[in-house]
Structure formats: C-alpha cells, structure tokens
C-alpha cells in the first residue's frame, strides 16, 4: 500500500483529504506543521508528500527546499497544496522542488489523478501496475511472480519483503541502489534496521528466482550496493 504524508495545519482540510485518500487505498499520516512533517519523514520515508504552502512556523515552500537539499529526501515526490493560484507562486513552488502544484479548492478526482501521475513518474513501485523484465513478470495486484521456463509458466514463491524488494528493483532497473537507499525505499526506515538485513533478503530473493533461472538479474555492485540488470547476460562460470 502506498503511503502519503499530508502536511496541513487546517484540521478540517487534513481530515477531508485523508478520508478521501484512505478511501482510494492509500495509507495516510497527517502532520500539522513543518516540524511534525520533518519528524514523520525522519522516522519513515513516505511514498509521496502533500505539502501545504502556508504552515505555522516554517513554510511548506522552505520545507520542500530543505528536503531537496538532503540526499535522503532529494527524490521524495512532493505535491504542493495551496490557496495561492497565481503564476508567480506556482513558479516559486516548482522552483522549490515540488513535483506538482495544486491550488485549493481542488476536487478529489483531480488530486488522485495528480498523485498517480507523480507516482508513475517518480515512484512506480508505489503503484499497482504489472512489470516485466526478461520474461520475469511481477503483478502487484495479484501478488504473483511468474516466468516461463521451457514452455511452462512457473510461479515463484517468495516472502512479502522479497516481493517488495523485487518490485522496487524491477521498477528501477539498471540503477545501483545502496543498502541505505533500499532500507528507505523498501523498508521505509534507514535508522532502526541493520544494513546486513538487506543482504539477507537479497540472498533469499536470489534463491526464490533461482528455479526460473534469473537469479543473476540481481547484481552485487561491490562497495556500492545492488542493481537489477535489464538483460540476462551469460557469465564465464555459467549457471546462476
Ligand atoms: Ca495552511
């Protein structure tokens, strides 16, 4: 389930938006100030932030700039919510690093469409679309992972963490992900979980992929982390 952090000091609006988002299947956390929002993000990185411009204390605009300047939150999908609708403010919001901008009042339908568009672009692992690499298919809706081997479709069994890890890898192929990044994006937490945990689950994921002959798609990049290859390349040693 995708997680959304709603940063809004007006309780009635925060509540209304949350009800609509939960109804649409999102997991919602509310923060009423920039400080609360920062604490929430420090604890668990959400898939997307709906950030109100006008907040007591630090503004949403300043918070967006701050997040963009930090390595951990640089890629965090942000949609700015605001009563301001004119061109100059819109440009300022996008300049601060917001991925999109929505002027109040907005319809739930429009909000959901904008959220899905930003997630599709920046965090496809948070959506339910099926993905496929080298015949390996992962369908988040049915939670099935399959691959055709010698004319027979095989279903690969794996635990929920391995499934999320594979989903993240498949939606961000070819890029090297550090253990810290994987903890943030797959586990949602880079502080309280040991980096070694990542290695344990990558090992289990490779074991789960082995029967379909595609364990080698998950590559170890020495000193950097892991990467999902987009092609199965034969290695000198052969096999998986
Ligand atoms: Ca406000």
């Amino acid at each position: 389930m995708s997680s959304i952090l709603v940063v809004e000091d007006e309780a009635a609006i925060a509540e209304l938006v949350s009800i609509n988002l939960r109804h649409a299947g999102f997991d919602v956390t509310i923060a009423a100030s920039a400080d609360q929002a920062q604490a929430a993000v420090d604890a668990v990185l959400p898939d997307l932030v709906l950030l109100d411009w006008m907040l007591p204390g630090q503004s949403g605009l300043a918070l967006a700039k701050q997040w963009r300047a930090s390595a951990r939150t640089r890629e965090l999908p942000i949609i700015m919510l605001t009563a301001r609708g004119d061109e100059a403010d819109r440009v300022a919001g996008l300049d601060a690093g917001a991925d999109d901008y929505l002027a109040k009042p907005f319809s739930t339908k429009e909000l959901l469409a904008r959220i899905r568009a930003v997630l599709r672009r920046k965090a496809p692992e948070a959506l339910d679309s099926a993905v496929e690499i080298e015949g390996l298919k992962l369908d988040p809706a049915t939670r099935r992972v399959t691959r055709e081997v010698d004319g027979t479709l095989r279903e690969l069994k794996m635990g929920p963490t391995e499934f999320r890890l594979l989903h993240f890898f498949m939606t961000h192929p070819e890029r090297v992900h550090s253990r810290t990044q994987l903890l943030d994006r797959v586990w949602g937490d880079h502080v309280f979980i040991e980096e070694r945990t990542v290695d344990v689950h990558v090992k289990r994921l490779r074991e789960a992929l082995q029967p379909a002959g595609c364990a080698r798609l998950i590559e170890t990049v020495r000193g950097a982390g892991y990467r999902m290859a987009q092609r199965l390349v034969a290695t000198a040693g052969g096999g998986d």
Side-chain angles (χ1 to χ4, degrees), residues 7-10 13 32 52-56 81-82 104:
V7 189
E8 169 64 77
D9 59 311
E10 286 159 77
I13 296 177
D52 187 31
W53 181 309
M54 298 293 280
L55 294 168
L81 299 181
T82 174
K104 296 176 191 171

